Amino acid sequence: MGVVQIVTATVAFAYTAVAIGLFVRAGLGMLELIRLGAPDKTRKGERGERVKTMLRETLGHTRMLKWHWVGLAHWAVFFGFFLLFPALAQSYFEVIDPESSLPIVGHWSVWLLGSEILTVLTGLGIVTLFAIRMARQPRVNPVPPQGTASDAGQRRSSSRFENSRQWMAFYIEATIFTIVASHMLIRSFKVALGEIEHEWTSPVSTLIADLWSGASADALHTAVTVIAGLDILVSWTFFLMLALIPSMGIGWHRVTAFFNIYFKRNADGAASLGPAKPMLIDGEPADFETADPETQPFGVATIGDFSWKGLLDFSTCTECGRCQSQCPAWNTGKPLSPKKLITDLRDHLYEQAPYLKAAAIAAERGGEDPHQKINIIGNVIDPDVLWSCTTCGACVEQCPVDIEHVDHILDLRRNMVMIESDFPDEAQTMLRNLENKGNPWGENPAHRLKWAEPLDFEVPIAEAGGDFEYLYWVGCAGAYDPKAQKTSRAVATLLHDAGVKFAVLGEAETCTGDSARRIGHEFMYQMLAEQNVETLNEVGAVKIVATCPHCLNTVGNEYKDLGGHYEVVHHTELLNDLVNAGKITPVEEHEGKLTYHDPCYLGRHNRIFTPPRELLGSFAEVTEMPRTEERSFCCGAGGARMWLEEPLGKRVNRERADEAVATGAKTVAVGCPFCSTMLRDGVADAGHEDVEVIDIAQLLARTQEKRAEKAAVAE
C-alpha cells in the first residue's frame, strides 16, 4: 500500500464518516420537524395498498412518464443513483488496493455487463436532463409577444424553471455526471491493465481504454486510486450538501418522495383531486357543533398549523415546475405559481424550525411558547396568490411526487374566510346569497322550477317512495341562469323522450355548497350539504344525474362524509349510454368544425374524458384543442372564481377561448354551465361572436328536433 493509497484512503474514510454523521443528524432533525406538524389521522390504514402505490409510482415512474422523454431520462438516473451504490462500495476497496474489486461479484461477467450498461444509461439520462434544462431556461423562453405577464404577476418567461433555484439542479446534475464519469474511467483503467477478462462485458470502457495504451501499470494503478477517491468525495459531498441545506428539495426528494407518495391522500394511487380534503381539527374532520375557533385552528394561519403531511409536502418539492407549467393562473400572469407557493412555505418552514422545536420543548415542560407566531398570509404568501387559484387541479395532476397544492390553498383560505373575514368584496354577495337564498345568484327559491315551464310535459317532483330511476340534480345554474336553463330543458326532454323515469327536487333543492367550500367557508358548506343530504335521503335518491360537474363532484364525492352515498353520473355519461342503447338516435350530422372543452371538475377531478367525446362523436367530428383531457386548460370559474373579478393578468377564459378559436371550430361544445358562461364571454371578448359555445345536451337535442321536423315534413 503506497503513499497515494494511504493518503487517499484516509481522506476518503474520514470524509465518509463525517458526511454520514451529518446527513443522519439532518435527516433525524427533518423527521423531528415534520412530526411537529398538526395531526392528520386520515393517512392511516391500507398499508399494503399504500406500499403497492409507492412502489408502482417510484419504480414504475408512472407519473414521471406522463412526460415521456423527461420521464425516461429520469428513470435511468433514478435506477443509476441507487443501483450504482455497489460501484461506490468498490471504490473503497480500490483506494486501498487498486487491483481489488467487490468480493464475490467483482469479476462476475453478469455484474460487469450490467453495471456497464447502467452506468452508460445513467450518463445518457443526466445529459438529457441537462440538455432539457438548458433548452428551457427562462432567459431563452420569454413570454410570447401577445403577453400574459402582468406587473402584479411573477411570470416573466414561459419556462417551468422560472422561480427554481437553478444552481442546485446544476450541482446535482454535475455530481451525477462526475460519478458516472469516474466509474467509466476506473473501468477503462482496469481494461487497459488487463484485469477485465472479457472485453464484451465492458464495451464502452474498452473503447475508452484505447486512450491509455501508452500508460504504465503504476500510473494506471495510481489513477484508479485517485479517481476512486474522487468518486467517494463527490458522492458524499452530495449528502453533506443535503445535511447543510435542509430546504434542498431537489436533493432531499430522493429520500422523502417515497414517504410522500406512501402517505398520499388516496391509498390506491389516485391523485388528490375530486373531493376537497375536509378541514381537520385534532387530525379529524371538523365537527362544527363542538369546534371552538378561540382555541382550535380553523384552517391554517401559521406554519405550525399545517399537518405533518403538509410539512412533508414542502420538504419534497423538487422545483421541477411541472405544476407551474400547467397552472392557468401562472400562464395568464397571475401572482400564483404552485411551485413558488410550496417553495416559499418550505423556506419559511426551515426558517422557523428552531422556533417550532423550541415551542414543542416548552409545551412538553408545561410552559408557553415564548416566540410570536408569524401569520403566513401577507408575510409569506400574498393574498392575491391564494385568490388566483381556480382549484382546477392541474398542479396536483402533474406533480411527480404527489404534493397536494390545492388542499394547502384551501386550508389557507379557510382561515382567511372563517377567522379573519378577509376575502374579496364581491365574494360577500355570493356568500350572503347562499346563506339567505340557498343559491349564489340570490334568486327566489320558489322559482327553482321556472326553467321547466316551457316544456310540453310535466317534470315530476321527487317524493319518498316515488317511481323514478334517476333524480335529476338541476343545480343553481341550471335553475336560474337563462343559458343553462336551455341545457336543463334539453336534458329533461331527452330523458323524457328516451323513456327514462326521472324526477327533480324542485324547491327542496339548494346549492351543493361547492363555491362556499372552495372559497374557504367550510361551515357554510357543511350547513348546505347536510340540508341536501337529508333531503336526498328522505326521497330515497340512489342514482343522480347532474349537468354541472361541480355538483357532480360535491354530491358524488363529498357528501359521503355526511352520510350521503349516491351513484352520481354526468348527463353526458347517461345520454351516451342511451345513444349506445338505441333509445336516442342522432340522425343529423353537426355542420361545421366542432371542438370540445374538458371541464376541470368533470375531466381532471373525476376522470370523465371518454363519454362526452363518444356522445359528440355520434353526430359530429371533434377537433381537439392542444390542451385536452388531464392537461385541459381551465375556463377560470373554479375555486369560486366564478363570482370574483379578475383584474390581474390576462383573463383565463380569454386564454382558453383563444385556444378554442385557433382550431378553426365554429362550435365549442361544453359539459358545464360555468365553462359555458366563461367561454362564451371569452369568445365574445376575442371578437368572435360567430363562434357558438353550447352544451353537448343542446347539440344532441337539436338532432332530435331536426329529425322531428323531417318527420313532420314527410307526413
Side-chain angles (χ1 to χ4, degrees):
M1 189 173 177
V3 174
V4 173
Q5 284 75 34
I6 293 172
V7 172
T8 305
T10 301
V11 172
F13 280 92
Y15 194 79
T16 300
V18 171
I20 291 177
L22 292 176
F23 176 71
V24 171
R25 187 180 72 171
L28 293 175
M30 177 180 287
L31 176 61
E32 179 188 1
L33 179 62
I34 290 172
R35 292 177 67 179
L36 293 179
D40 182 350
K41 299 175 183 177
T42 66
R43 311 283 172 169
K44 294 183 177 181
E46 302 178 276
R47 293 181 179 178
E49 191 69 25
R50 289 185 179 278
V51 169
K52 290 179 185 177
T53 295
M54 183 266 289
L55 293 176
R56 182 173 63 250
E57 289 194 18
T58 54
L59 301 182
H61 263 44
T62 51
R63 297 179 71 81
M64 283 294 300
L65 287 170
K66 290 182 178 181
W67 293 29
H68 303 308
W69 292 112
V70 176
L72 287 171
H74 191 277
W75 201 357
V77 173
F78 168 83
F79 278 101
F81 183 83
F82 290 103
L83 298 183
L84 286 178
F85 266 99
L88 173 62
Q90 181 165 302
S91 294
Y92 286 94
F93 290 93
E94 291 163 340
V95 295
I96 297 173
D97 178 4
E99 294 183 350
S100 65
S101 61
L102 277 177
I104 302 174
V105 299
H107 293 286
W108 187 29
S109 297
V110 174
W111 158 249
L112 291 172
L113 180 60
S115 60
E116 177 93 353
I117 294 172
L118 186 60
T119 303
V120 171
L121 290 177
T122 303
L124 291 174
I126 203 63
V127 168
T128 300
L129 293 177
F130 174 77
I132 291 172
R133 183 174 291 273
M134 291 303 297
R136 296 301 302 162
Q137 283 295 294
R139 65 178 178 273
V140 295
N141 290 275
V143 172
Q146 64 269 27
T148 56
S150 75
D151 292 337
Q154 303 175 72
R155 189 174 190 243
R156 293 294 177 266
S157 79
S158 60
S159 170
R160 63 186 173 96
F161 296 120
E162 184 176 321
N163 299 317
S164 295
R165 292 181 291 184
Q166 298 276 32
W167 74 265
M168 291 184 177
F170 287 131
Y171 162 72
I172 289 175
E173 288 166 351
T175 294
I176 295 173
F177 182 80
T178 302
I179 292 171
V180 167
S182 66
H183 290 170
M184 293 302 299
L185 283 173
I186 291 172
R187 181 69 64 84
S188 71
F189 296 151
K190 295 202 168 191
V191 170
L193 285 164
E195 295 180 13
I196 305 296
E197 184 178 356
H198 303 294
E199 291 187 353
W200 61 266
T201 63
S202 308
V204 178
S205 300
T206 299
L207 294 175
I208 300 174
D210 292 339
L211 298 173
W212 326 126
S213 57
S216 66
D218 287 344
L220 290 173
H221 283 143
T222 300
V224 169
T225 297
V226 171
I227 298 301
L230 175 66
D231 179 31
I232 293 170
L233 294 180
V234 170
S235 297
W236 287 109
T237 296
F238 168 74
F239 291 95
L240 186 60
M241 289 288 285
L242 296 188
L244 298 175
I245 310 176
S247 62
M248 193 175 182
I250 193 169
W252 274 107
H253 88 277
R254 286 161 173 76
V255 178
T256 58
F258 294 95
F259 300 97
N260 209 50
I261 294 171
Y262 176 87
F263 287 114
K264 67 190 297 184
R265 194 205 297 175
N266 300 311
D268 63 358
S272 300
L273 297 172
K277 186 191 77 172
M279 191 181 88
L280 302 180
I281 295 180
D282 295 330
E284 303 279 3
D287 181 355
F288 287 100
E289 292 185 2
T290 59
D292 181 5
E294 297 295 327
T295 59
Q296 296 173 314
F298 277 27
V300 167
T302 68
I303 195 68
D305 293 335
F306 280 105
S307 72
W308 60 263
K309 176 56 169 66
L311 303 187
L312 182 58
D313 269 0
F314 308 153
S315 303
T316 305
C317 178
T318 71
E319 301 185 35
C320 67
R322 291 190 182 203
C323 58
Q324 180 175 280
S325 71
Q326 303 297 304
C327 176
W330 187 77
N331 273 283
T332 54
K334 309 295 190 297
L336 170 63
S337 158
K339 175 181 67 179
K340 193 169 188 301
L341 170 76
I342 297 299
T343 56
D344 284 348
L345 290 171
R346 178 188 64 201
D347 292 344
H348 180 60
L349 167 65
Y350 286 98
E351 288 170 1
Q352 294 297 303
Y355 307 108
L356 291 173
K357 292 179 180 179
I361 293 172
E364 286 178 3
R365 296 174 178 174
E368 295 184 1
D369 183 1
H371 306 103
Q372 182 179 0
K373 295 182 178 180
I374 297 176
N375 195 311
I376 290 172
I377 306 303
N379 294 303
V380 181
I381 305 297
D382 190 281
D384 283 336
V385 169
L386 303 180
W387 297 123
S388 296
C389 180
T390 67
T391 68
C392 70
C395 51
V396 179
E397 172 71 35
Q398 290 299 324
C399 182
V401 292
D402 286 301
I403 292 171
E404 298 164 2
H405 314 71
V406 174
D407 290 347
H408 304 318
I409 289 173
L410 287 183
D411 274 336
L412 288 163
R413 284 185 176 185
R414 284 163 175 161
N415 186 270
M416 293 177 70
V417 172
M418 290 189 289
I419 300 301
E420 302 296 335
S421 296
D422 180 13
F423 46 84
D425 293 338
E426 57 270 28
Q428 179 65 52
T429 302
M430 182 267 290
L431 291 172
R432 186 170 56 249
N433 288 336
L434 286 177
E435 184 176 7
N436 297 330
K437 301 292 187 179
N439 68 84
W441 278 274
E443 295 288 341
N444 191 333
H447 296 165
R448 279 258 176 195
L449 260 178
K450 276 190 171 292
W451 65 269
E453 290 179 356
L455 296 174
D456 57 5
F457 60 91
E458 183 178 352
V459 175
I461 305 298
E463 296 178 350
D467 185 21
F468 62 89
E469 181 182 6
Y470 284 94
L471 185 132
Y472 176 21
W473 187 274
V474 180
C476 298
Y480 297 119
D481 181 80
K483 297 291 185 182
Q485 285 178 342
K486 295 180 180 179
T487 301
S488 300
R489 288 192 286 270
V491 170
T493 300
L494 290 165
L495 295 181
H496 178 265
D497 292 347
V500 176
K501 293 182 178 180
F502 73 97
V504 299
L505 290 176
E507 294 181 26
E509 182 180 303
T510 192
C511 182
T512 62
D514 165 81
S515 292
R517 185 171 220 189
R518 279 158 181 79
I519 207 170
H521 206 316
E522 186 77 359
F523 175 72
M524 185 174 290
Y525 157 73
Q526 284 203 19
M527 183 175 62
L528 294 167
E530 287 171 357
Q531 180 180 338
N532 281 323
V533 168
E534 183 179 354
T535 301
L536 290 168
N537 289 344
E538 282 180 358
V539 301
V542 176
K543 295 182 179 180
I544 298 175
V545 57
T547 53
C548 176
H550 298 266
C551 295
L552 174 144
N553 182 67
T554 304
V555 177
N557 295 327
E558 298 180 350
Y559 281 10
K560 295 174 183 177
D561 295 335
L562 301 171
H565 299 274
Y566 317 108
E567 179 187 335
V568 186
V569 298
H570 192 244
H571 68 290
T572 57
E573 293 181 283
L574 179 54
L575 294 176
N576 186 52
D577 289 342
L578 294 173
V579 169
N580 290 335
K583 294 182 179 180
I584 298 176
T585 307
V587 293
E588 292 290 334
E589 287 292 320
H590 176 78
E591 296 179 3
K593 188 180 285 189
L594 176 148
T595 191
Y596 171 63
H597 164 76
D598 284 280
C600 298
Y601 273 80
L602 183 66
R604 198 155 36 235
H605 279 277
N606 283 280
R607 322 308 296 176
I608 301 173
F609 301 118
T610 302
R613 286 176 168 80
E614 284 187 354
L615 182 57
L616 282 170
S618 66
F619 59 86
E621 183 176 345
V622 179
T623 300
E624 295 284 7
M625 285 184 260
R627 293 177 286 197
T628 63
E629 298 190 354
E630 67 267 11
R631 292 196 190 184
S632 178
F633 197 79
C634 184
C635 75
R641 287 218 55 87
M642 177 75 178
W643 318 106
L644 306 181
E645 296 298 328
E646 193 174 347
L648 303 177
K650 182 180 181 180
R651 292 182 65 85
V652 176
N653 63 336
R654 175 61 190 275
E655 174 86 358
R656 186 57 163 171
D658 286 345
E659 188 172 7
V661 169
T663 65
K666 293 300 180 183
T667 302
V668 181
V670 296
C672 171
F674 286 2
C675 294
S676 180
T677 297
M678 299 299 284
L679 292 181
R680 194 181 301 112
D681 290 348
V683 166
D685 184 55
H688 290 274
E689 278 80 4
D690 58 327
V691 175
E692 181 182 30
V693 179
I694 185 171
D695 191 274
I696 298 173
Q698 290 177 253
L699 290 171
L700 180 61
R702 282 183 185 176
T703 70
Q704 306 303 293
E705 292 168 4
K706 290 180 180 179
R707 182 176 66 174
E709 290 171 4
K710 284 189 174 183
V713 170
E715 291 178 359

